[in-house]
Amino acid sequence: MKIVLYGATGRAGSRILAELLGRGHEVVAVVRHPEKLTPRTGLTAELGDLSTSDAIARAIDGAQAVVSAYGPPPDKPEDLVGVTEREIVAMQQVSQQANSPEHAPRLIVVGGAGSLEVAPGMTLVSTPDFPAEWKPIALAHQRALVLLRASSIDWTYLSPSAILEPGRRTGTFRLGQDTLLTAADGKSWISMEDYAIALVDELERPQHRRQRFTVGY
């Protein structure tokens, strides 16, 4: 499968890249600094960014799927919303040019956990103990999900657990929908390596088209 990946040099994106290449996919990593990517079989590094929908449309034309692991600058979390808007427009452009609907690409988005429910009608980001410093990016992710749900494109949004951190690739985890997953000890977390497995599994065997789902231990 030919996949365009944005954010390939980031923490989550680099692990998604490794998982994709490990499974034999053809990956076009669109990055600002191609020299930062180590040459590997199946990998093409292209100079580009997410600044315009036209640029995105050109980069993703001919791909079967697009993975967005974009992370905004720490001081500009709202940039995520604009990027999502441009990705949607680009996906619409490419889909309209496709010969048939089945040839239109999918968009898989590396999402946030803040919009997951911890109780009926209560999201994680709305809880009193949610860290204030993480609230702006959590709300930006929440607005991005709203945009995707209102769009007509073929999208999937994968929320991690409350904690997403580097760790082990175990292949053992649980999937959910809109509710935060917690382990028996009360911790809500997933390694970036296992998150990458869940994302690539969804690419290969779609189960959540036009849906959000989540992964955790």
Side-chain angles (χ1 to χ4, degrees):
M1 187 185 302
K2 181 179 179 181
I3 299 163
V4 172
L5 172 62
Y6 285 95
T9 59
R11 298 206 308 164
S14 62
R15 288 161 173 84
I16 293 168
L17 174 61
E19 187 69 27
L20 288 168
L21 294 176
R23 299 199 199 184
H25 292 289
E26 177 187 350
V27 182
V28 178
V30 181
V31 291
R32 290 179 180 271
H33 301 283
E35 70 278 3
K36 291 185 177 181
L37 288 172
T38 302
R40 280 166 278 182
T41 301
L43 172 62
T44 300
E46 288 190 358
L47 176 65
D49 58 31
L50 292 152
S51 59
T52 69
S53 56
D54 285 344
I56 299 169
R58 287 193 296 271
I60 68 177
D61 188 28
Q64 293 165 275
V66 181
V67 177
S68 179
Y70 167 78
D75 60 337
K76 294 182 178 180
E78 68 279 1
D79 284 4
L80 178 68
V81 180
V83 163
T84 303
E85 290 175 331
R86 292 191 288 275
E87 288 175 334
I88 290 170
V89 171
M91 293 290 292
Q92 290 171 332
Q93 291 176 3
V94 174
S95 296
Q96 290 168 0
Q97 295 166 5
N99 294 329
S100 56
E102 61 267 22
H103 292 136
R106 295 180 67 195
L107 175 64
I108 312 292
V109 176
V110 174
S115 58
L116 291 167
E117 287 194 339
V118 295
M122 176 178 286
T123 59
L124 179 62
V125 69
S126 68
T127 57
D129 294 333
F130 192 85
E133 64 270 24
W134 292 108
K135 188 163 286 190
I137 185 62
L139 292 175
H141 272 293
Q142 185 169 278
R143 290 195 293 273
L145 178 57
V146 169
L147 290 173
L148 290 167
R149 284 175 166 161
S151 76
S152 60
I153 67 171
D154 186 359
W155 62 272
T156 298
Y157 183 100
L158 177 51
S159 287
S161 292
I163 299 173
L164 175 64
E165 60 189 9
R168 293 174 53 228
R169 183 184 186 279
T170 71
T172 302
F173 46 78
R174 293 180 295 147
L175 300 180
Q177 288 290 133
D178 294 311
T179 301
L180 185 74
L181 295 174
T182 56
D185 61 2
K187 185 178 179 181
S188 175
W189 72 291
I190 186 72
S191 74
M192 291 179 176
E193 289 76 7
D194 280 343
Y195 178 95
I197 293 177
L199 187 146
V200 180
D201 282 351
E202 173 65 24
L203 275 174
E204 294 179 342
R205 298 181 297 279
Q207 301 293 320
H208 302 93
R209 288 185 183 272
R210 293 188 52 79
Q211 296 177 40
R212 181 258 293 279
F213 74 111
T214 186
V215 57
Y217 296 125

